[in-house]
Amino acid sequence: MSFDVRKQGDVTVIDVEGQLIVGNRQELKQKVLEELEGGARKFLIDFSSTGYIDSSGLGVLVSLSKKIREQGGELRLANLNEDLRTLFELTKLDTLFHIASSRDEALSSF
């Protein structure tokens, strides 16, 4: 499991590889908050290589979404697999996040 952070134009793109779980959620939070403190305001988290997100992972996404919005920024999620998309729907988190089916769709939505 790892997080790859890079810039694509003015968007900070974070690729999540593996699972987003209690054991690594703080690492993701730290990376996003560092970018936010550095002035980044547009964030895209790409889950194309992610098969599982536990409740603590969902919690950190909610927390990051709130912090980014408080700073005048925006967060997009992309490439959730079928199971993860269902998870977001069942928890009603699909109403909180802008979820795109592809990275390009997410990038063009800013």
Side-chain angles (χ1 to χ4, degrees):
M1 60 190 151
S2 67
F3 306 103
D4 182 36
V5 181
R6 70 182 95 151
K7 292 281 188 188
Q8 193 158 343
D10 62 347
V11 180
T12 302
V13 178
I14 300 119
D15 288 303
V16 178
E17 293 184 25
Q19 303 175 334
L20 178 57
I21 56 175
V22 66
N24 65 359
R25 65 187 163 99
Q26 287 300 335
E27 183 183 349
L28 173 64
K29 187 173 185 177
Q30 176 107 14
K31 286 181 184 287
V32 171
L33 292 180
E34 285 173 5
E35 294 292 327
L36 190 64
E37 288 171 11
R41 290 297 178 264
K42 296 178 181 177
F43 292 88
L44 164 60
I45 302 178
D46 191 325
F47 290 100
S48 59
S49 299
T50 307
Y52 180 73
I53 301 174
D54 73 3
S55 59
S56 66
L58 291 175
V60 82
L61 291 174
V62 171
S63 171
L64 288 173
S65 174
K66 183 177 178 206
K67 287 189 181 300
I68 290 168
R69 270 189 275 120
E70 286 173 353
Q71 299 293 319
E74 298 177 70
L75 171 65
R76 306 282 192 262
L77 308 180
N79 289 318
L80 294 167
N81 68 25
E82 191 69 31
D83 289 341
L84 292 177
R85 194 171 271 273
T86 301
L87 174 65
F88 276 74
E89 290 170 4
L90 290 174
T91 56
K92 305 291 186 198
L93 290 174
D94 60 329
T95 61
L96 176 66
F97 295 103
H98 183 284
I99 300 173
S101 57
S102 70
R103 181 182 295 222
D104 287 342
E105 181 186 326
L107 288 170
S108 66
S109 69
F110 281 104

